[in-house]
Amino acid sequence: MFADVVLPLPLSETFTYAVPASMQSALAIGCRVIVPFGKRKYYTAIVLKIHHDAPQSGVSLKDIHSLIDSVPLVNENQLKLWEWVSFYYLSPLGDVYKAAFPSKLRMESETMVSALVGHATDEKGLRPKEKQIIDLLNEHDLPVKISEIAVRLKIGNVLPTVYSLAEKGLVVIHESIQSKFAPKTETHIFLPKKLSPQSASHAIGKAKKQQLLYEQITGIFAASEADSFSRKEIMALTGASASVLNGLLQKNVLRQATVEIGRLGDGAARVTRAPHTLNEYQQQAFTEIIDCFNDRKPCLLHGVTSSGKTEIYIHLIKRLLEEGKQTLYLVPEIALTTQLTHRLQAVFGDKLAIYHSKINDQERAEIWKKMLSDHPYDIVIGVRSSLFLPFKRLGLIIVDEEHESSYKQTEPAPRYQARDTAVMLAHLTKAPILLGTATPSMESYFNAQTGKYGLVTLANRYEDISLPEIILENTKELRRKKKMKSLLSPALISYMDNALQEGGQVILFRNRRGFAPMVECQLCGWTPKCRRCDVSLTYHKSRNELVCHYCGTTYKMVTECPECHQPSIEPVGMGTEQVEEEVARLFPEVSIARMDADTTRGKNAYENILSDFQQKKTRILIGTQMLSKGLDFDDVSVVGIISADSLLNYPDFRSHERGFQLMMQASGRAGRKNKRGKVIIQSNDPEQPLYRYLTDNDYEGFFRQQAAERKLFNYPPYSRLIRIVIKDKDEQKAEVEARAFAGLLRPSLHERLLGPSKPAVAKIQLYHIREILLKLEIGLSPQKIRKLIKKSEQRMRANPEFKYMRVYYDVDPL
Ligand code: ADP
Ligand code: ZN
Ligand code: ZN
């Protein structure tokens, strides 16, 4: 008996091992095994296939060293998905395995191990090698790397022995030191048991805000069986300010205490409400979605911002839950805010798991194991990689904000598009899939137009709140008339002023962080560039530093030009920092916050900025596109887009699609509850047709215009792109390799192949880059083209000169 396995190495091949007789009855597809590979190295591999095809005579296969699992950790649909991702995105299967499977469940030589306290080598039944390892570990307080154990003890196959020790509960395996268990705590609010409503109301007295909050809180407790709620939850559910809540605590009508919570947040989330009743439009959309599912087609839900798409998702999930099915709810990383998770937790409580990129390896492994248990999570809300979790009875996939570019993984491999992979997962598992957005991607809308996807439209905002009024400000004209005395146009300033006077809030967008995108010598034009990348440095005034936004390297700000030795260096252009400075000058009395990659580094920074704004502690929020994603604020009456042209003027066929989506989403933040909001767009070129579609709220019109252009130039969705990227520290070498590779491919591809060319940023982190672009017609066989590419790569590598060529493929690049 033989088994094909995948190894956690960047290799495309699977490897065949002989299955020892003792293992044959227990071995199953999807189990972990330990196999020797290379010189004295052992790896955790996953079994993909079990068969009886003996190798050619003369080839001798190694044995599987040991079988770890009695029950598979990966199911067959998952393995099929791995294979598809590897095939379609031209990514080594080993890389897919590494990305998809929790590293904690996969020991490698870098894995850290430590002995559990209290176990000595006098343990009975230990083999000599096991004893040796325990002795070594006991000498150290800190965990030791498996590779180090191997070196110290001069034994090769440490991995299997460590596994068996772990199984016996004698050692702990850590991915990193900080993932050691530490209990996690949270501040909770309780209702004192013996307090009567009368004495509570007596204690609160005349404090109006406190009365109101107390009523809200008792309401929440009454609607649930929980005896406590986290302080965070209470604040989010009630929108209360800390001071009002603290007032109630001081009067002893509420109690606060620190409680220990489970690592996965079990028990922290409680059901507090039933789903809202859908209105007639939502109900209609719901019915159409179900019809579409019955047709076995992916369904695109095109619903304007605030139309209540999330409410519809909640109803769909609930329905599936009643059928005993699981839901995967995919969101772009940035949308994983407390807002959305609290909304879902309020309805589904601890049936919900949250899977984002900040959870550690330990939690990742725990969620995986829980999904395999008899009581898996019913709902997983997660980012891209949650696609790879072991669902047992997946019944629905929702891809929220399907147009978001962060669904595409760009680095490292596998460079997959999670939305499209979700469509594949739906196909494999026969689960229906819903893609939802206010601004569909060109690809998805095209698929809906051609009948590949079903289309459901929701044109009304919930409660028919009007869409905002969009006002275009011609900044070029204003400048000519000398009316632009600030970064903000006079009209924007006056709308802001009005809004603030009426107690409203303002959001300003600028898609560049830092103070100025670059600095320049006013005399000779010299600009500082990154030493590792071919890009100008961004000036960060608050830190007085120049920063490379590609590699993060920081440099001291220069004041004197190194070329002409004059103190003539000045910032050019503006970023969020500068907008903030300007707004502070214009509205000195108003509290302002800034949200961009620089201000959201800390663990809770992002959430704190949002909750301060939510609670109106800050009145003006300035930020990058981070701000445009699925956030709900009740009192934002003005949204300003400071420099709209910069969204459209970069050399990419998608720039208008992106700009349109961003501005439309940004507008969606205005006037959600009370009255009609205003969106002010500042542009030097307001004649662009895109702005007309935007002011008319005409997505269809925009789509048709874009589609015509894409068709003319043969861009997606009318073709498919594959970008071949070649890099080398030696520029000449990158150039030669790219030309040789293109030369091999061109005879089969002809004019479908463009390049090789130097990309706009031609050097990143010391590597020079060359690109070859393949523009492939839709009808072309994906199998054939991938075979051609792989064969050509092999032919390249057969040449000793190109053996170590660094190349990767970016399929459907963004
Ligand atoms: P979308 O996801 O389309 O942007 P949401 O689902 O966030 O829209 O809905 C916008 C707002 O309207 C939310 O505050 C939501 O709670 C409220 N809402 C939507 N539908 C309903 C409903 N059927 N009943 C009560 N409130 C609703
Ligand atoms: Zn100079
Ligand atoms: Zn750099």
Side-chain angles (χ1 to χ4, degrees):
M1 190 191 266
F2 305 97
D4 297 347
V5 306
V6 54
L7 289 164
L9 298 170
L11 302 168
S12 291
E13 304 89 340
T14 60
F15 294 86
T16 307
Y17 287 83
V19 183
S22 62
M23 243 178 253
Q24 294 195 353
S25 61
L27 192 75
I29 290 173
C31 285
R32 289 173 302 172
V33 288
I34 294 182
V35 295
F37 185 78
K39 264 195 205 136
R40 302 179 57 195
K41 278 218 166 116
Y42 284 76
Y43 290 93
T44 309
I46 304 277
V47 178
L48 297 175
K49 200 174 155 196
I50 299 171
H51 57 85
H52 295 278
D53 310 333
Q56 299 162 320
S57 60
V59 178
S60 80
L61 293 176
K62 290 184 185 160
D63 276 1
I64 290 179
H65 182 281
S66 43
L67 169 63
I68 305 172
D69 307 308
S70 48
V71 181
L73 289 200
V74 188
N75 66 42
E76 299 205 21
N77 279 331
Q78 288 178 279
L79 293 176
K80 281 187 200 152
L81 191 69
W82 292 8
E83 279 168 7
W84 180 81
V85 168
S86 166
F87 157 77
Y88 186 82
Y89 293 103
L90 286 157
S91 290
L93 187 63
D95 279 340
V96 181
Y97 164 34
K98 276 168 74 177
F101 194 74
S103 56
K104 261 267 147 141
L105 300 177
R106 190 192 71 220
M107 269 196 272
E108 279 166 30
S109 40
E110 291 306 291
T111 305
M112 309 281 258
V113 191
S114 60
L116 268 181
V117 189
H119 289 286
T121 41
D122 48 14
E123 281 284 331
K124 285 194 194 79
L126 284 188
R127 282 179 281 133
K129 229 189 249 172
E130 294 179 332
K131 267 194 177 151
Q132 265 181 300
I133 293 178
I134 295 275
D135 279 339
L136 177 77
L137 293 177
N138 275 335
E139 284 168 24
H140 296 260
D141 289 336
L142 294 175
V144 182
K145 268 190 202 163
I146 286 183
S147 56
E148 205 178 314
I149 301 176
V151 173
R152 297 268 196 94
L153 300 181
K154 299 194 175 58
I155 40 179
N157 52 345
V158 184
L159 217 48
T161 318
V162 171
Y163 261 120
S164 82
L165 285 170
E167 213 115 89
K168 292 176 185 165
L170 299 178
V171 301
V172 199
I173 294 154
H174 321 253
E175 199 59 33
S176 60
I177 297 167
Q178 51 297 19
S179 64
K180 257 189 183 171
F181 279 102
K184 211 170 151 185
T185 60
E186 204 170 53
T187 309
H188 270 227
I189 302 286
F190 299 80
L191 280 185
K193 286 254 155 51
K194 287 182 196 127
L195 190 72
S196 70
Q198 290 84 350
S199 36
S201 116
H202 184 73
I204 297 168
K206 290 217 174 62
K208 268 259 143 40
K209 281 188 181 164
Q210 292 183 5
Q211 283 172 6
L212 202 71
L213 178 60
Y214 186 71
E215 265 170 43
Q216 277 179 296
I217 293 176
T218 45
I220 291 168
F221 274 91
S224 142
E225 283 160 15
D227 54 9
S228 77
F229 285 87
S230 77
R231 194 181 153 101
K232 257 196 182 127
E233 247 176 310
I234 291 280
M235 306 226 355
L237 288 167
T238 59
S241 74
S243 65
V244 180
L245 185 60
N246 290 340
L248 289 175
L249 286 162
Q250 264 158 23
K251 292 179 178 168
N252 289 320
V253 296
L254 296 179
R255 209 162 55 70
Q256 178 170 297
T258 305
V259 298
E260 206 173 286
I261 54 163
R263 221 156 239 286
L264 303 177
D266 283 331
R270 304 240 162 63
V271 175
T272 54
R273 69 167 179 91
H276 293 305
T277 312
L278 297 180
N279 68 18
E280 89 187 85
Y281 308 112
Q282 292 169 336
Q283 188 57 50
Q284 172 71 21
F286 183 87
T287 313
E288 286 176 28
I289 291 167
I290 299 289
D291 287 347
C292 183
F293 287 170
N294 289 336
D295 285 350
R296 306 212 150 277
K297 271 189 195 176
C299 180
L300 175 64
L301 173 61
H302 176 204
V304 296
T305 49
S306 269
S307 53
K309 295 183 289 297
T310 316
E311 288 304 321
I312 296 179
Y313 303 154
I314 289 173
H315 280 256
L316 288 167
I317 296 169
K318 184 158 179 286
R319 184 176 161 133
L320 268 291
L321 201 57
E322 282 158 9
E323 292 173 17
K325 297 276 180 61
Q326 292 169 301
T327 297
L328 169 61
Y329 188 140
L330 280 180
V331 287
E333 175 72 53
I334 207 77
L336 252 188
T337 55
T338 23
Q339 278 192 353
L340 179 62
T341 50
H342 277 300
R343 237 173 117 178
L344 291 171
Q345 275 175 338
V347 180
F348 299 112
D350 58 11
K351 292 187 165 47
L352 182 78
I354 300 157
Y355 197 84
H356 53 79
S357 64
K358 288 208 180 95
I359 59 174
N360 63 34
D361 295 327
Q362 181 64 39
E363 291 166 314
R364 216 171 279 277
E366 281 178 39
I367 292 181
W368 191 284
K369 286 201 160 157
K370 170 122 175 152
M371 293 303 282
L372 288 170
S373 73
D374 290 337
H375 302 284
Y377 289 107
D378 294 295
I379 306 150
V380 175
I381 168 166
V383 295
R384 311 191 271 264
S385 54
S386 57
L387 276 171
F388 296 114
L389 284 169
F391 289 92
K392 286 185 154 175
R393 35 194 167 79
L394 188 60
L396 173 65
I397 304 174
I398 293 167
V399 184
D400 197 6
E401 312 284 357
E402 68 83 26
H403 65 280
E404 264 292 320
S405 50
S406 61
Y407 277 126
K408 176 75 200 288
Q409 172 148 323
T410 45
E411 195 67 45
R415 295 176 176 79
Y416 64 108
Q417 157 57 279
R419 175 197 61 214
D420 299 343
T421 308
V423 172
M424 191 60 196
L425 178 65
H427 173 76
L428 289 170
T429 56
K430 301 191 171 58
I433 179 166
L434 179 65
L435 313 177
T437 175
T439 51
S441 63
M442 291 295 293
E443 283 80 1
S444 296
Y445 207 72
F446 179 78
N447 282 333
Q449 297 288 314
T450 54
K452 194 171 161 194
Y453 293 177
L455 177 65
V456 176
T457 308
L458 203 50
N460 300 72
R461 280 184 152 187
Y462 179 66
E463 288 185 325
D464 286 321
I465 298 159
S466 330
L467 284 160
E469 177 188 1
I470 299 185
I471 300 156
L472 274 172
E473 280 281 273
N474 186 336
T475 37
K476 195 172 173 188
E477 191 63 18
L478 286 168
R479 227 170 265 124
R480 199 178 58 80
K481 292 184 182 156
K482 306 234 178 314
K483 284 189 180 157
M484 280 295 279
K485 298 206 169 62
S486 149
L487 298 173
L488 314 184
S489 75
L492 176 54
I493 296 172
S494 103
Y495 287 129
M496 284 172 72
D497 207 25
N498 283 341
L500 294 166
Q501 299 227 359
E502 287 169 11
Q505 289 175 292
V506 176
I507 289 181
L508 297 177
F509 281 93
R510 172 64 185 128
N511 68 331
R512 279 295 188 94
R513 64 193 169 95
F515 187 83
M518 61 187 261
V519 298
E520 195 178 68
C521 170
Q522 298 300 296
L523 297 172
C524 73
W526 176 86
T527 73
K529 287 195 162 184
C530 179
R531 280 182 213 120
R532 300 162 60 83
C533 316
D534 182 21
V535 289
S536 331
L537 300 171
T538 301
Y539 175 41
H540 287 247
K541 192 172 176 183
S542 55
R543 298 188 260 157
N544 198 33
E545 272 175 348
L546 294 167
V547 182
C548 170
H549 283 187
Y550 275 79
C551 70
T553 307
T554 57
Y555 302 82
K556 268 215 185 87
M557 174 61 183
V558 280
T559 43
E560 195 188 286
C561 173
E563 297 286 322
C564 56
H565 305 289
Q566 297 295 316
S568 49
I569 304 279
E570 295 284 339
V572 182
M574 62 132 159
T576 45
E577 254 186 56
Q578 199 172 344
V579 176
E580 186 185 18
E581 198 178 279
E582 180 77 357
V583 172
R585 191 179 63 78
L586 291 166
F587 299 95
E589 313 280 279
V590 181
S591 51
I592 303 169
R594 174 162 61 91
M595 191 163 104
D596 55 30
D598 298 314
T599 61
T600 51
R601 288 235 170 89
K603 193 152 179 264
N604 298 318
Y606 179 71
E607 250 113 53
N608 291 343
I609 294 173
L610 289 180
S611 89
D612 283 354
F613 193 61
Q614 195 109 41
Q615 295 167 34
K616 299 181 87 172
K617 284 187 201 155
T618 45
R619 307 282 303 282
I620 303 177
L621 184 54
I622 298 158
T624 53
Q625 49 264 48
M626 242 187 194
L627 255 180
S628 68
K629 314 289 153 67
L631 300 169
D632 248 322
F633 302 109
D634 293 343
D635 288 308
V636 173
S637 41
V638 171
V639 167
I641 296 169
I642 306 291
S643 176
D645 308 315
S646 64
L647 295 169
L648 310 177
N649 295 347
Y650 58 98
D652 183 313
F653 71 94
R654 277 187 228 270
S655 64
H656 279 232
E657 178 185 359
R658 290 268 175 69
F660 183 81
Q661 286 166 346
L662 189 106
M663 286 189 255
M664 197 94 164
Q665 293 282 348
S667 321
R669 304 307 121 217
R672 309 250 313 182
K673 259 198 190 133
N674 309 331
K675 54 172 193 180
R676 193 164 187 213
K678 283 196 169 61
V679 179
I680 293 90
I681 299 179
Q682 298 190 169
S683 164
N684 286 330
D685 187 13
E687 298 301 313
Q688 295 250 25
L690 175 140
Y691 292 116
R692 209 181 59 238
Y693 298 119
L694 205 61
T695 43
D696 293 350
N697 185 36
D698 182 9
Y699 174 83
E700 276 263 351
F702 173 75
F703 173 83
R704 274 196 302 273
Q705 180 261 342
Q706 270 294 297
E709 232 170 72
R710 301 272 182 100
K711 191 168 184 183
L712 191 65
F713 296 105
N714 193 27
Y715 272 118
Y718 295 92
S719 66
R720 289 183 202 287
L721 304 180
I722 297 180
R723 205 159 60 97
I724 302 178
V725 182
I726 288 152
K727 50 183 203 175
D728 204 286
K729 284 190 175 162
D730 177 350
E731 179 162 19
Q732 196 53 36
K733 203 158 172 223
E735 182 73 37
V736 171
E737 285 171 348
R739 281 211 210 129
F741 203 0
L744 273 181
L745 289 165
R746 194 173 279 114
S748 318
L749 295 172
H750 309 287
E751 73 287 0
R752 297 183 189 96
L753 184 148
L754 306 173
S757 63
K758 221 169 142 170
V761 177
K763 186 176 122 193
I764 297 177
Q765 307 237 33
L766 300 178
Y767 280 93
H768 293 272
I769 300 163
R770 291 295 180 273
E771 285 182 0
I772 300 167
L773 189 67
L774 308 185
K775 243 184 187 181
L776 308 160
E777 60 271 29
I778 300 290
L780 218 60
S781 148
Q783 278 81 7
K784 273 192 190 151
I785 184 77
R786 281 159 181 75
K787 216 166 144 189
L788 172 73
I789 292 172
K790 287 200 161 167
K791 253 179 106 178
S792 306
E793 185 188 325
Q794 276 164 16
R795 276 177 60 198
M796 283 288 287
R797 292 198 194 281
N799 178 344
E801 195 190 339
F802 301 137
K803 189 164 177 213
Y804 298 108
M805 166 178 77
R806 286 170 183 269
V807 60
Y808 71 81
Y809 307 100
D810 192 359
V811 177
D812 302 335
L814 288 183

